[in-house]
Amino acid sequence: SLLRRLASTTFLHLGRGGAKFHFCSGFSHAATWGSNRMTVLKQKPLFSTTASESASVSGIFISDAYDGGNIELVESTSGNDDELASVSLKIKSDPYTELEKKNHFQYFSFRSSVNAPGKVRYSVDNAGDASYAVAWDESTVFYSKSLNDPHSWMRKLDTTFHDGKLTWSHDHDSQGSMYFCYFPPFSYDRHLDLIEKCA
């Protein structure tokens, strides 16, 4: 339907300093409104549609192959008695913009699956090069076992931004998956429901 073609995605960032709304669209649109109709003039993807799934010898499986996922695995290492298992990541950039002559990037979201319980340290290594790097200061990464439950997201209070890297740790208390993101996504399905209610 036309509403589905025009749907965008809205994110709510609940930072330590309060709530901030972010609006991200999976498509770029220009439209004209008539008395009873709308004409779409342009529609093109804004974000890369390439999803990645990466396994490693550390027994940690990183994936962004879902609606809103965006991350790339750099490397991962197994833990031992002296060190935590670690995962190095980088945020994928948006397509190059002719207007600003650059590739923007800021938002990340990924699923981490482990084959055994244990504590893992995560690091987004290119956070300092993001479009608005100052936003990382005092921010908290969010995590949840349920991507589509808006009430399940919690903060990683040990999140730090230092030397251009955004880092946090998580104690995986069981085998399975956990989602991490910059701020909880307002899913595409929920957005379509909102459009239908407003139509």
Side-chain angles (χ1 to χ4, degrees), residues 81-162:
D81 293 339
D82 299 320
E83 290 188 11
L84 299 180
S86 64
V87 177
S88 296
L89 308 152
K90 71 177 183 178
I91 305 171
K92 295 178 183 177
S93 62
D94 299 339
Y96 182 81
T97 62
E98 290 293 341
L99 179 63
E100 298 173 281
K101 306 298 182 184
K102 68 181 299 183
N103 296 83
H104 285 286
F105 67 89
Q106 188 80 36
Y107 185 74
F108 68 87
S109 178
F110 66 93
R111 179 176 59 243
S112 178
S113 303
V114 298
N115 60 11
K119 196 168 186 177
V120 179
R121 179 182 292 112
Y122 296 91
S123 173
V124 178
D125 293 346
N126 65 341
D129 298 321
S131 299
Y132 193 61
V134 69
W136 305 124
D137 290 328
E138 298 189 0
S139 68
T140 52
V141 169
F142 282 80
Y143 70 102
S144 173
K145 285 188 176 181
S146 178
L147 178 66
N148 296 317
D149 182 356
H151 304 294
S152 66
W153 292 93
M154 301 181 70
R155 302 171 185 269
K156 296 304 303 180
L157 298 180
D158 67 338
T159 303
T160 60
F161 177 59
H162 182 67

Side-chain angles (χ1 to χ4, degrees), residues 187-199:
S187 71
Y188 184 64
D189 287 337
R190 291 182 65 201
H191 186 75
L192 292 179
D193 290 340
L194 178 62
I195 291 178
E196 290 179 2
K197 291 177 181 178
C198 296

Side-chain angles (χ1 to χ4, degrees), residues 39-94:
T39 303
V40 178
L41 302 180
K42 182 173 66 174
Q43 176 175 303
K44 64 179 181 179
L46 284 180
F47 304 123
S48 170
T49 57
T50 302
S52 63
E53 298 189 12
S54 303
S56 68
V57 294
S58 64
I60 304 170
F61 185 90
I62 302 296
S63 174
D64 66 354
Y66 57 88
D67 183 17
N70 186 51
I71 205 68
E72 181 178 330
L73 176 66
V74 177
E75 65 175 350
S76 62
T77 60
S78 300
N80 53 44
D81 293 339
D82 299 320
E83 290 188 11
L84 299 180
S86 64
V87 177
S88 296
L89 308 152
K90 71 177 183 178
I91 305 171
K92 295 178 183 177
S93 62
D94 299 339

